[in-house]
Short mmCIF file of all heavy atoms in Angstrom, two decimals:
data_model
loop_
_atom_site.label_atom_id
_atom_site.label_comp_id
_atom_site.label_asym_id
_atom_site.label_seq_id
_atom_site.Cartn_x
_atom_site.Cartn_y
_atom_site.Cartn_z
N ALA W 36 9.58 16.70 27.72
CA ALA W 36 9.47 16.09 28.87
C ALA W 36 10.85 15.63 29.49
O ALA W 36 11.16 15.50 30.69
CB ALA W 36 8.54 14.67 28.86
N THR W 37 11.79 15.36 28.56
CA THR W 37 13.08 14.94 28.95
C THR W 37 14.17 16.09 28.93
O THR W 37 15.29 15.75 29.00
CB THR W 37 13.52 13.74 28.03
OG1 THR W 37 13.44 14.26 26.69
CG2 THR W 37 12.64 12.54 28.13
N LYS W 38 13.60 17.20 28.74
CA LYS W 38 14.60 18.46 28.59
C LYS W 38 15.57 18.39 27.49
O LYS W 38 16.73 18.76 27.66
CB LYS W 38 15.17 18.74 30.02
CG LYS W 38 14.15 19.04 31.12
CD LYS W 38 14.74 19.19 32.34
CE LYS W 38 13.82 19.48 33.56
NZ LYS W 38 14.50 19.70 34.84
N ASN W 39 15.16 17.94 26.45
CA ASN W 39 16.05 17.67 25.22
C ASN W 39 15.42 18.49 24.06
O ASN W 39 14.33 19.01 24.00
CB ASN W 39 16.18 16.31 24.78
CG ASN W 39 17.01 15.48 25.85
OD1 ASN W 39 18.15 15.81 26.16
ND2 ASN W 39 16.36 14.41 26.51
N ILE W 40 16.36 18.60 23.00
CA ILE W 40 15.89 19.09 21.60
C ILE W 40 15.99 18.10 20.62
O ILE W 40 17.03 17.36 20.55
CB ILE W 40 16.69 20.26 21.30
CG1 ILE W 40 16.54 21.43 22.34
CG2 ILE W 40 16.35 20.90 19.98
CD1 ILE W 40 17.50 22.57 22.21
N VAL W 41 15.05 17.94 19.61
CA VAL W 41 15.07 17.08 18.56
C VAL W 41 15.05 17.98 17.31
O VAL W 41 14.12 18.73 17.12
CB VAL W 41 14.11 16.00 18.46
CG1 VAL W 41 14.16 15.17 17.14
CG2 VAL W 41 14.12 15.11 19.73
N LEU W 42 16.08 17.76 16.39
CA LEU W 42 15.98 18.34 15.05
C LEU W 42 15.85 17.27 14.01
O LEU W 42 16.31 16.19 14.22
CB LEU W 42 17.28 19.27 14.88
CG LEU W 42 17.60 20.20 15.78
CD1 LEU W 42 18.91 20.92 15.38
CD2 LEU W 42 16.45 21.19 15.96
N PHE W 43 15.19 17.67 12.98
CA PHE W 43 14.86 16.54 11.83
C PHE W 43 15.16 17.15 10.54
O PHE W 43 14.80 18.26 10.23
CB PHE W 43 13.37 16.28 11.96
CG PHE W 43 12.94 15.29 10.84
CD1 PHE W 43 13.36 13.91 10.91
CD2 PHE W 43 12.27 15.74 9.69
CE1 PHE W 43 13.03 13.10 9.84
CE2 PHE W 43 12.07 14.86 8.79
CZ PHE W 43 12.33 13.45 8.82
N GLU W 44 15.84 16.36 9.68
CA GLU W 44 16.13 16.69 8.38
C GLU W 44 15.88 15.71 7.35
O GLU W 44 16.36 14.58 7.35
CB GLU W 44 17.67 17.18 8.27
CG GLU W 44 17.94 17.68 6.91
CD GLU W 44 19.39 18.22 6.89
OE1 GLU W 44 20.14 18.18 7.86
OE2 GLU W 44 19.80 18.84 5.73
N TYR W 45 15.01 16.08 6.31
CA TYR W 45 14.75 15.19 5.19
C TYR W 45 14.65 16.13 4.02
O TYR W 45 13.81 16.97 3.92
CB TYR W 45 13.33 14.48 5.44
CG TYR W 45 13.03 13.51 4.27
CD1 TYR W 45 13.22 12.17 4.48
CD2 TYR W 45 12.46 13.82 3.15
CE1 TYR W 45 12.98 11.06 3.64
CE2 TYR W 45 12.04 12.93 2.25
CZ TYR W 45 12.34 11.54 2.40
OH TYR W 45 12.00 10.61 1.53
N ASP W 46 15.72 15.86 3.01
CA ASP W 46 15.84 16.90 1.98
C ASP W 46 14.53 16.89 1.24
O ASP W 46 14.02 15.88 0.89
CB ASP W 46 16.95 16.44 1.13
CG ASP W 46 17.50 17.39 0.17
OD1 ASP W 46 16.68 17.84 -0.73
OD2 ASP W 46 18.67 17.76 0.26
N PRO W 47 14.06 18.04 0.85
CA PRO W 47 12.89 18.23 0.04
C PRO W 47 12.95 17.74 -1.24
O PRO W 47 11.81 17.60 -1.91
CB PRO W 47 12.65 19.72 0.11
CG PRO W 47 13.81 20.40 0.50
CD PRO W 47 14.60 19.42 1.41
N THR W 48 14.10 17.45 -1.75
CA THR W 48 14.07 16.91 -3.10
C THR W 48 14.09 15.31 -3.25
O THR W 48 13.97 14.75 -4.19
CB THR W 48 15.54 17.34 -3.76
OG1 THR W 48 16.71 16.74 -2.96
CG2 THR W 48 15.76 18.79 -3.87
N TYR W 49 14.16 14.76 -1.97
CA TYR W 49 14.01 13.31 -1.94
C TYR W 49 12.59 12.84 -2.31
O TYR W 49 11.52 13.50 -2.05
CB TYR W 49 14.35 12.82 -0.55
CG TYR W 49 15.77 12.81 -0.06
CD1 TYR W 49 16.24 12.71 1.27
CD2 TYR W 49 16.85 13.03 -1.00
CE1 TYR W 49 17.41 12.72 1.58
CE2 TYR W 49 18.14 13.20 -0.60
CZ TYR W 49 18.44 13.08 0.66
OH TYR W 49 19.79 13.06 1.15
N PRO W 50 12.52 11.60 -2.77
CA PRO W 50 11.15 10.90 -3.07
C PRO W 50 10.41 10.91 -1.69
O PRO W 50 11.04 10.87 -0.61
CB PRO W 50 11.45 9.51 -3.57
CG PRO W 50 12.94 9.73 -4.06
CD PRO W 50 13.55 10.60 -3.17
N ARG W 51 9.04 10.85 -1.84
CA ARG W 51 8.20 10.89 -0.62
C ARG W 51 7.29 9.73 -0.72
O ARG W 51 6.77 9.36 0.51
CB ARG W 51 7.44 12.24 -0.57
CG ARG W 51 8.33 13.43 -0.58
CD ARG W 51 7.49 14.52 -0.86
NE ARG W 51 6.32 14.89 -0.20
CZ ARG W 51 6.09 15.81 0.75
NH1 ARG W 51 6.99 16.57 1.14
NH2 ARG W 51 5.04 15.91 1.36
N VAL W 52 6.76 9.16 -1.69
CA VAL W 52 5.69 8.22 -1.78
C VAL W 52 6.47 6.68 -1.89
O VAL W 52 7.25 6.53 -2.99
CB VAL W 52 4.70 8.46 -2.87
CG1 VAL W 52 3.78 7.42 -2.79
CG2 VAL W 52 4.20 9.84 -2.74
N PHE W 53 6.10 5.87 -1.04
CA PHE W 53 6.75 4.53 -1.17
C PHE W 53 5.69 3.36 -0.86
O PHE W 53 4.52 3.83 -0.63
CB PHE W 53 7.86 4.39 -0.01
CG PHE W 53 8.91 5.50 -0.03
CD1 PHE W 53 8.91 6.57 0.80
CD2 PHE W 53 9.92 5.38 -0.94
CE1 PHE W 53 9.83 7.59 0.66
CE2 PHE W 53 10.80 6.41 -1.15
CZ PHE W 53 10.86 7.39 -0.23
N MET W 54 6.14 2.25 -1.00
CA MET W 54 5.29 1.05 -0.99
C MET W 54 5.47 0.16 0.24
O MET W 54 5.05 -0.91 0.45
CB MET W 54 5.35 0.23 -2.19
CG MET W 54 4.81 1.01 -3.42
SD MET W 54 3.18 1.32 -3.44
CE MET W 54 2.41 -0.22 -3.51
N ASN W 55 6.52 0.51 1.10
CA ASN W 55 6.79 -0.38 2.27
C ASN W 55 5.69 -0.35 3.32
O ASN W 55 4.71 0.35 3.16
CB ASN W 55 8.05 0.26 3.00
CG ASN W 55 9.33 0.30 2.07
OD1 ASN W 55 9.18 0.87 0.96
ND2 ASN W 55 10.37 -0.48 2.43
N ASP W 56 5.85 -1.19 4.30
CA ASP W 56 5.00 -1.13 5.43
C ASP W 56 5.31 0.17 6.28
O ASP W 56 6.33 0.35 6.91
CB ASP W 56 5.30 -2.44 6.36
CG ASP W 56 4.59 -2.43 7.67
OD1 ASP W 56 3.57 -1.49 7.80
OD2 ASP W 56 4.90 -3.02 8.51
N VAL W 57 4.45 1.01 6.24
CA VAL W 57 4.64 2.34 6.86
C VAL W 57 4.71 2.12 8.40
O VAL W 57 5.47 2.95 9.00
CB VAL W 57 3.54 3.38 6.57
CG1 VAL W 57 2.16 2.72 7.08
CG2 VAL W 57 3.69 4.80 7.10
N GLY W 58 4.11 1.21 9.02
CA GLY W 58 4.23 1.08 10.44
C GLY W 58 5.63 0.72 10.81
O GLY W 58 6.16 1.12 11.90
N GLY W 59 6.40 -0.05 10.02
CA GLY W 59 7.76 -0.44 10.37
C GLY W 59 8.77 0.69 10.41
O GLY W 59 9.35 0.84 11.36
N ILE W 60 8.58 1.59 9.37
CA ILE W 60 9.55 2.78 9.41
C ILE W 60 9.30 3.67 10.46
O ILE W 60 10.16 4.29 11.13
CB ILE W 60 9.64 3.41 7.89
CG1 ILE W 60 10.73 4.46 7.94
CG2 ILE W 60 8.31 3.96 7.61
CD1 ILE W 60 12.11 3.93 8.02
N ILE W 61 7.95 4.06 10.66
CA ILE W 61 7.61 5.02 11.74
C ILE W 61 7.96 4.54 13.12
O ILE W 61 8.53 5.20 13.92
CB ILE W 61 6.06 5.30 11.61
CG1 ILE W 61 5.68 5.98 10.31
CG2 ILE W 61 5.67 6.16 12.81
CD1 ILE W 61 6.44 7.37 9.99
#
Side-chain angles (χ1 to χ4, degrees):
T37 56
K38 299 180 180 179
N39 291 302
I40 296 170
V41 177
L42 303 180
F43 176 78
E44 183 172 7
Y45 186 96
D46 194 298
T48 65
Y49 287 168
R51 296 162 53 108
V52 181
F53 303 103
M54 295 294 291
N55 299 57
D56 172 17
V57 62
I60 187 66
I61 296 299

